[in-house]
Amino acid sequence: MQYDYVVIGAGMGGLTVANFLAKYGKKVLVLEKHSIPGGLVTSFARRGVHFDLGILGLYELDEGQTIPQFLEFWGASQVPTRPLRGNLKCFIDGTEFDIEAGKVRESLLEQFPKNRDDVNRVLDIMHAINKEMHSGKEAPEPPYDMTLFQLVKFGMNAMRQRPMFMKYGNKDARRVLDSLTTCDELKTAVYSKAPYPMVFMAFAYQWSVYGESRYPVAGMQAIPDAAVESLRNQGGELKLNAEVAEILIGNGRACGVRTTDGSVYRGAVISNVSPQFTYEWIPDTVAAKARMKAAIARRRIFEPAAALFMALDESRYSLGDLESISIVSTRDYRMTTGEYRPDTAPICINVYPGIEGDEFRPLVAIIPISYEYHNFWETEAGRKRGQSYRALKQEVEATLLHRIEQHLGTGFTNALVHHELSTPLTFERYTYSKNGSFMGWSITQRDYGKFLRQRTDIDDLYLVGQWVFPGFGVAGVMASGYYLAKEILKSDGVDLKKDFAKFFA
């Protein structure tokens, strides 16, 4: 079967580029190994409760933001949303700190009265960084597409227009926090919002959108479902349960894929799968394969997490107006995922609003535990999951539940009607995201901004998603689809940037 483009993976990057190309008349096929589209933006049901994979809310779902604008441009149905206005509870080495939505500064000042200047300094800098990040008049171009003159100009403008971002935002959070306060509890409270080694800009963003994010009324699955609807309305196709086994190369160009059932689909290839898996599908006889693999071999991957899905009977235990609960230690902001164990790792529990018809309240605890933990979670050869893997999962789950019970009481665990643990290997298996990473490449100071090009060394083979510009986050992943479509359509004389701006003028 012949197509203009075959997209591997129905994550939001793949669905985005497919929609833009289909809108301009390209014949597009999206292949998805899973039974539902969306990648990390999917939902599943257990015991009559719908769980998302850990994304609680998105600021970019607000009116005029990336996601609704893309959907409107494609002609998709809009996704009804609701605001998230819940409070935060943070246990730091057992001591409880409460942060009220819309009153972050007031809450922190009240709970850190001896560190008032530090609180104001940290929040003022985060506010300034976020303001500078959103001060541009238009979206930036990928840095690898800039000329030397454009790069120099961009750097000079950044120094002048974004001084706080350049001084603090692109530095490691640990270094920045150590420079702003000596209070370890305050550092930990800031870090608890997303306890991963990242540049400080990531924390500035997380705190700036707290209280401003939105959640789809029908759950996160509504976003990819809307994108699939528009894709099909524009003539594009989606095949589920279709796993790629090989990328076909002819005359030095990608010319299609072969799936595990032997089906062949012809066309230029766009992969929404991590490059590590994408490159393995290229035949060994292709000279560029070894070079492409070597180019990413030393790149560091954003550290993965385990997820504990819990269904809570609120008639027996109420969380009130809480949106998130963190169980952390003052040592956490100095550590990496590889150093954590189940009895020491931070636990961040997202409290979801739930969707109509759910009998119980969905909670998802995100726990940074390494992909390599305990001999790759006691898997067998080829990462095969056997009895030892399942036994270790149960042990880790019991440890995490015990720690949560120590902070929330036995009433909480007694009110759980369901709980199950997913490991980083589970995320990798379902999403083809290397090591189960949910943010692509590492975004520490050493690594941030080193984006892969969307064009590979093989003609007609492209990359899209969290591993290429502009990087992490659902909006960033969707933006990568926009940038790739803009580049591809340019050869047809289409100015996507101009058309998009005109559409919303």
Side-chain angles (χ1 to χ4, degrees), residues 200-218:
F200 192 62
M201 170 269 292
F203 295 91
Y205 172 79
Q206 288 285 338
W207 283 103
S208 72
V209 301
Y210 167 51
E212 303 294 332
S213 296
R214 303 190 71 83
Y215 180 79
V217 171

Side-chain angles (χ1 to χ4, degrees), residues 345-365:
I347 300 175
C348 297
I349 306 172
N350 291 328
V351 183
Y352 285 81
I355 67 175
E356 186 177 356
D358 280 359
E359 185 178 356
F360 305 111
R361 189 74 173 267
L363 316 175
V364 181

Side-chain angles (χ1 to χ4, degrees), residues 159 241 263:
M159 291 293 292
N241 301 304
S263 300

